[in-house]
DNA sequence: CAAATAGTGTCTCTAAGACAATATCAC
DNA sequence: GTGATATTGTCTTAGAGACACTATTTG
């Protein structure tokens, strides 16, 4: 016992060389497009928060929000703190994506990054309002596997279009990894991180678990359906969607009226799943 | 351009405090039990490689193999190197489990760990033979959710029994995390890492992808079935298992004879999945 | 009324589970 | 023949997809 105390007292971690560690966060929200007709429901778009880098390296290019892990916090807490500092919102959900540790991924030196997906709800987005600076913006996401293992990732904000190309490595094994063919003017290896984050988000959206976090506490089933369709880039028949989520939601007494069609009952998430 | 060069030249990462980073590996194999009758197939057991710690802290206790990330390698390469140093075998598969970064998880100081699952094939295990030292041993694994969110993890090697209790946190969201209720004489937070690793392995075994890596290149379908049943702790009717893996395997011309029953055709993994 | 979404019921098809039946070896 | 696994075929059932039909609102 005493020998262990003595050992720990004399132990010096500084004998080993250590990397710097950062957490990077891919924060997604569902953005609304204005509808063409007054009675049509809004079209949804999956959007990603990017920050324009003010300093070197990659100055002026777009990057994921993130920052260095500080003593006394976990990597998850670091990710939450960073997204909070950028959006002034504590996300409902945060999910790990993976560790990115290529030795040359950061020109500043030996810096490895733990990546996370976070989900920003519609309510939170409204609270944020428009950021005063133009260095943090929501980009509309398009991510499609053209053919085989090659994916193209396109991020659009106004006239700014970032277009990256990636190859999926060892498909079908654990979490997918991507190799960057063209970084599309994204900083660091963030194109690969975003691609992995999208894969995680899509896989999670399949289980009707993460999708609730994009919406306010009460929502219509068609809004919920649009969220899932937007994330996964699929389309489902409303009748079937209702049947499939029926176990995850419960009715409220409220209705959403005032659109040019039949009012929709508002639902809330059911915490206790049924058999 | 020049300003970026100048910036990088003067940049000092050492201004920030940095953690040490390790990779820990949960290496699994399928161990054979002797069969009670000459014609019965062997019973399989999922086994995990543990190392008895020779030094402080946790001296004499059992821990996952692992070690410090070195400059110039990725965390995956570090994990592969560590398992190679312990078993003299390069595993077929390695999958990320998560980052463990509680500030007080290591009494030596600020050390975070990236955890991986690796799979050691039967062929490789045979090559290793018996390790000369008794400080690396394969433990039989039992991992069962008693009730609700409480799981008990029991590792057995001969008369050594390590029995840990864990609580699953935020179930159903991304990768499961476990809180240690009783570490069962495992070093550090390795009980939680092992529980997470088992969850990842079980999820992966469902997709008929990881399970091939436990076996030699050719195998009988019942051996493959036993692997999946062993990992997931389930039992499937042979007829149904055959139907479900039929798309992932292809026949060879070889048969496995010499047991007290009908010879079994040997199969190999099919790389190109059918429609 | 027209346009649009909300919501229900039901048919079909497929994949998984259950089970029965046959095949083939070593002893 | 006996005891075991190997292998095939089929019945049943649960769940997803397709689709038809009704309900309700606002301009």
């Amino acid at each position: 016992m005493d020998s262990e105390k003595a050992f720990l007292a004399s132990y010096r971690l500084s004998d080993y060389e250590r990397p710097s560690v950062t957490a990077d966060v891919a924060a997604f929200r569902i953005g609304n497009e204005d509808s063409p007709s007054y009675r049509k429901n809004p079209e949804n778009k999956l959007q990603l928060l990017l920050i324009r880098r003010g300093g070197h390296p990659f100055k002026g290019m777009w990057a994921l929000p993130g920052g260095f892990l500080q003593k006394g916090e976990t990597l998850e807490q670091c990710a939450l703190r960073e997204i909070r500092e950028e959006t002034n919102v504590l996300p409902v959900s945060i999910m790990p994506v993976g560790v990115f540790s290529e030795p040359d991924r950061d020109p500043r030196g030996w810096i490895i990054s733990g990546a996370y997906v976070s989900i920003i709800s519609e309510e939170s987005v409204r609270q944020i309002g428009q950021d005063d600076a133009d260095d943090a913006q929501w980009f509309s996401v398009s991510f499609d596997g053209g053919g085989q293992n090659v994916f193209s990732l396109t991020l659009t904000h106004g006239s700014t279009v970032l277009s990256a190309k990636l190859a999926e490595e060892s498909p079908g094994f654990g979490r997918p990894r991507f190799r960057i063919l063209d970084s599309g003017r994204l900083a660091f290896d963030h194109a690969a991180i975003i691609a992995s984050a999208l894969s995680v988000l899509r896989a999670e959206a399949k289980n009707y678990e993460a999708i609730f976090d994009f919406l306010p506490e009460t929502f219509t089933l068609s809004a919920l359906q649009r969220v899932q369709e937007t994330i996964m880039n699929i389309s489902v028949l409303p009748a079937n969607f209702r049947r499939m989520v029926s176990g995850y939601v419960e009715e409220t007494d409220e209705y959403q009226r005032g659109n040019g069609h039949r009012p929709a009952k508002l639902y809330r998430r059911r915490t206790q799943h049924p058999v």
Side-chain angles (χ1 to χ4, degrees), chain A residues 19-24 66-71 73 75 78 81-82 106 108 110-112:
Chain A
S20 296
V21 177
T22 64
D24 289 312
F68 287 94
L69 178 66
Q70 296 175 1
K71 204 160 184 176
E73 68 182 2
L75 200 53
C78 175
R81 178 174 55 71
E82 291 293 339
D106 192 315
R108 290 170 295 184
W110 190 19
I111 304 181
I112 72 175

Side-chain angles (χ1 to χ4, degrees), chain A residues 93-104:
Chain A
S93 270
I94 189 170
M95 289 174 285
V97 172
V99 178
F100 293 78
S101 56
E102 298 292 327
D104 57 353

Side-chain angles (χ1 to χ4, degrees), chain A residues 182-203:
Chain A
D182 173 359
S183 73
R185 288 166 36 234
L186 281 154
F188 305 103
D189 54 357
H190 287 189
I193 296 181
I194 294 167
S196 293
L198 276 164
S199 303
V200 170
L201 184 62
R202 285 189 176 169

Side-chain angles (χ1 to χ4, degrees), chain A residues 185-232:
Chain A
R185 288 166 36 234
L186 281 154
F188 305 103
D189 54 357
H190 287 189
I193 296 181
I194 294 167
S196 293
L198 276 164
S199 303
V200 170
L201 184 62
R202 285 189 176 169
E204 211 56 38
K206 215 178 291 179
N207 311 328
Y208 309 99
E209 283 289 349
I211 56 175
F212 295 103
D213 295 335
F214 283 100
L215 293 173
E217 200 174 330
T218 66
F219 46 82
T220 66
L221 290 188
S222 73
L224 188 65
Q225 180 179 355
R226 283 198 306 276
V227 168
Q228 195 191 42
E229 291 183 339
T230 302
I231 295 173
M232 300 185 62

Side-chain angles (χ1 to χ4, degrees), chain A residues 119-161:
Chain A
I119 295 178
I120 312 292
S121 78
E122 198 180 295
E123 266 169 337
S124 303
V125 170
R126 265 196 238 107
Q127 284 166 28
I128 304 172
Q130 200 51 270
D131 206 295
D132 49 352
D134 67 343
D135 57 351
Q137 297 293 348
W138 291 97
F139 282 70
S140 290
V141 175
S142 139
F143 183 58
D144 278 300
Q148 306 289 3
N149 300 346
V150 181
F151 287 76
S152 66
L153 168 71
T154 307
L155 302 165
T156 315
H157 171 74
S159 60
T160 308
V161 179

Side-chain angles (χ1 to χ4, degrees), chain A residues 18-39:
Chain A
R18 289 162 292 167
S20 296
V21 177
T22 64
D24 289 312
V25 183
F28 292 97
R29 73 167 187 187
I30 303 290
N32 292 335
E33 297 271 295
D34 285 338
S35 15
S37 146
Y38 77 95
R39 42 178 120 193

